Amino acid sequence: MIDLSKRRYRTICVIEKYRQLYRYSSKEEQLLVSSSVLNFIWNAWSMFWRAYWNVYIAGGYDLTRARVGGVFPRYTIPQSCAYAKSLARGGRYTTGSTIQHYQEPTWGDPELIINVASGLLPHIPSMNYLISFITSYKTELEELQKIRNAYIHINNASVNSLRSLEPLYIFRHDQKLLDILETKRIGSSKICFDSLVDNMVGCLENLS
């Protein structure tokens, strides 16, 4: 059974490990390093939330290592994922149905987290706490998601999507949109990369 306390610890360790790799010596390296590091960090974050829903749907151990019975205790992981996906999208759900790995949604998307939690409210009233908690971290989580997507899918649309973040950060005259990780948020002494990763780690550490 999944133990969320152990999973959280491992997830934070992975994030901290990969953030140490955010170093480059040239502009040519910057794009490769940034996209790789952001992708590994985002995937670790997303897999934590996949595990989180599996615990509350199929059973396991919560962040305090207390036993959780689950909404559908006999469900397999593919069945739990299918149910969580249906809650996230508000669609019809056929009891016991499954999805393949490639059909799974972006588990780390904060809007999806809120939607799944909202769908579980009739079964688990404490999901109200999670909705409120994630909302307090949502803005910077969405920024990290948007920047990660821009680096992974390098095209005009993905890069231009960063323009909505441009007014929030201080760009030097020689910096372009894809240099956003090295800029500083207005009113902050941290570079964007550190600020967004710290927000993610803080979210995991403070989640209860």
Side-chain angles (χ1 to χ4, degrees), residues 132-173:
S132 175
F133 178 81
I134 287 296
T135 299
S136 67
Y137 288 87
K138 185 171 183 278
T139 298
E140 288 188 277
L141 290 172
E142 288 179 334
E143 288 180 17
L144 178 55
Q145 182 180 10
K146 182 175 286 189
I147 294 170
R148 177 262 179 190
N149 289 344
Y151 275 96
I152 294 299
H153 310 289
I154 294 291
N155 55 52
N156 288 336
S158 65
V159 175
N160 284 332
S161 72
L162 298 179
R163 293 201 180 280
S164 63
L165 304 181
E166 199 170 8
L168 305 176
Y169 292 90
I170 301 172
F171 286 78
R172 297 193 313 267
H173 67 87

Side-chain angles (χ1 to χ4, degrees), residues 6-203:
K6 292 180 180 179
R7 188 63 61 93
R8 170 168 62 183
Y9 174 76
R10 290 203 303 270
T11 301
I12 292 173
C13 287
V14 169
I15 292 173
E16 293 293 356
K17 174 184 176 181
Y18 281 103
R19 84 183 297 174
Q20 297 304 315
L21 299 178
Y22 181 66
R23 294 188 178 90
Y24 52 87
S25 58
S26 67
K27 282 288 185 182
E28 290 73 21
E29 286 184 6
Q30 180 184 9
L31 186 59
L32 178 61
V33 170
S34 299
S35 60
S36 298
V37 169
L38 286 178
N39 198 44
F40 277 114
I41 287 175
W42 183 259
N43 285 345
W45 161 262
S46 291
M47 290 306 290
F48 170 81
W49 286 104
R50 183 180 188 266
Y52 188 93
W53 300 127
N54 274 288
V55 166
Y56 282 94
I57 293 169
Y61 296 92
D62 68 13
L63 291 163
T64 67
R65 293 191 172 171
R67 181 77 166 80
V68 176
V71 178
F72 297 107
R74 296 179 182 274
Y75 267 21
T76 63
I77 288 178
Q79 288 173 319
S80 296
C81 288
Y83 180 57
K85 181 179 179 180
S86 73
L87 294 178
R89 301 192 173 175
R92 290 184 58 189
Y93 173 70
T94 302
T95 302
S97 63
T98 64
I99 57 174
Q100 299 298 315
H101 187 73
Y102 67 86
Q103 297 172 307
E104 294 184 18
T106 304
W107 298 114
D109 183 337
E111 192 64 36
L112 182 141
I113 294 170
I114 290 170
N115 289 343
V116 177
S118 298
L120 286 173
L121 267 176
H123 307 285
I124 310 171
S126 62
M127 284 293 157
N128 260 327
Y129 154 78
L130 179 60
I131 294 169
S132 175
F133 178 81
I134 287 296
T135 299
S136 67
Y137 288 87
K138 185 171 183 278
T139 298
E140 288 188 277
L141 290 172
E142 288 179 334
E143 288 180 17
L144 178 55
Q145 182 180 10
K146 182 175 286 189
I147 294 170
R148 177 262 179 190
N149 289 344
Y151 275 96
I152 294 299
H153 310 289
I154 294 291
N155 55 52
N156 288 336
S158 65
V159 175
N160 284 332
S161 72
L162 298 179
R163 293 201 180 280
S164 63
L165 304 181
E166 199 170 8
L168 305 176
Y169 292 90
I170 301 172
F171 286 78
R172 297 193 313 267
H173 67 87
D174 60 337
Q175 288 180 318
K176 300 179 180 180
L177 281 174
L178 281 177
D179 295 313
I180 191 169
L181 291 176
E182 290 296 321
T183 66
K184 291 181 180 179
R185 194 182 187 93
I186 295 173
S188 174
S189 60
K190 296 180 182 178
I191 62 169
C192 172
F193 175 81
D194 285 334
S195 178
L196 296 183
V197 175
D198 283 347
N199 179 72
M200 177 178 280
V201 171
C203 180

